[in-house]
Amino acid sequence: MNKTTQISDSNHKTWTDTYYNLTPDDGLFSTKTTFGEGEEGVALNCPGYGRDGKGFVIHFKVEHLEAIHSLLAELQLLKAEQINSRK
């Protein structure tokens, strides 16, 4: 059984014993979705061993857009650093 914990002052919970490492060959895909209360968002479908080998889904709402932009910016910086280190 997974143990959950509170992270700092956030009301978000996470599994402390769960770690996902996606490979370049893993097929990620996203789809527009509607949540239980009719609110629209985007679901990122990830492969993996969770859910009996069916992977897992992360549901993003408009309120998550800034965090997603930050994630992309960090990944773009890492890519630029890798390209520069090969020169």
Side-chain angles (χ1 to χ4, degrees):
M1 181 184 308
N2 291 326
K3 177 183 169 189
T4 60
T5 186
Q6 284 296 123
I7 302 299
S8 68
D9 294 330
S10 172
N11 61 354
H12 298 95
K13 292 183 180 181
T14 184
W15 286 286
T16 58
D17 61 348
T18 304
Y19 178 81
Y20 294 97
N21 186 17
L22 299 172
T23 68
D25 298 328
D26 287 333
L28 298 173
F29 68 94
S30 61
T31 56
K32 187 174 178 182
T33 187
T34 303
F35 300 100
E37 296 127 18
E39 187 176 9
E40 292 184 331
V42 175
L44 178 64
N45 296 271
C46 307
Y49 298 104
R51 292 182 47 229
D52 298 323
K54 297 177 183 171
F56 59 99
V57 178
I58 303 171
H59 293 255
F60 295 99
K61 297 178 181 178
V62 172
E63 294 82 7
H64 300 117
L65 193 55
E66 188 173 325
I68 294 167
H69 279 294
S70 295
L71 171 70
L72 290 174
E74 291 293 329
L75 286 171
Q76 289 169 334
L77 283 173
L78 286 173
K79 182 178 181 180
E81 289 171 4
Q82 290 174 351
I83 291 171
N84 289 333
S85 68
R86 293 180 194 148
K87 292 180 180 179

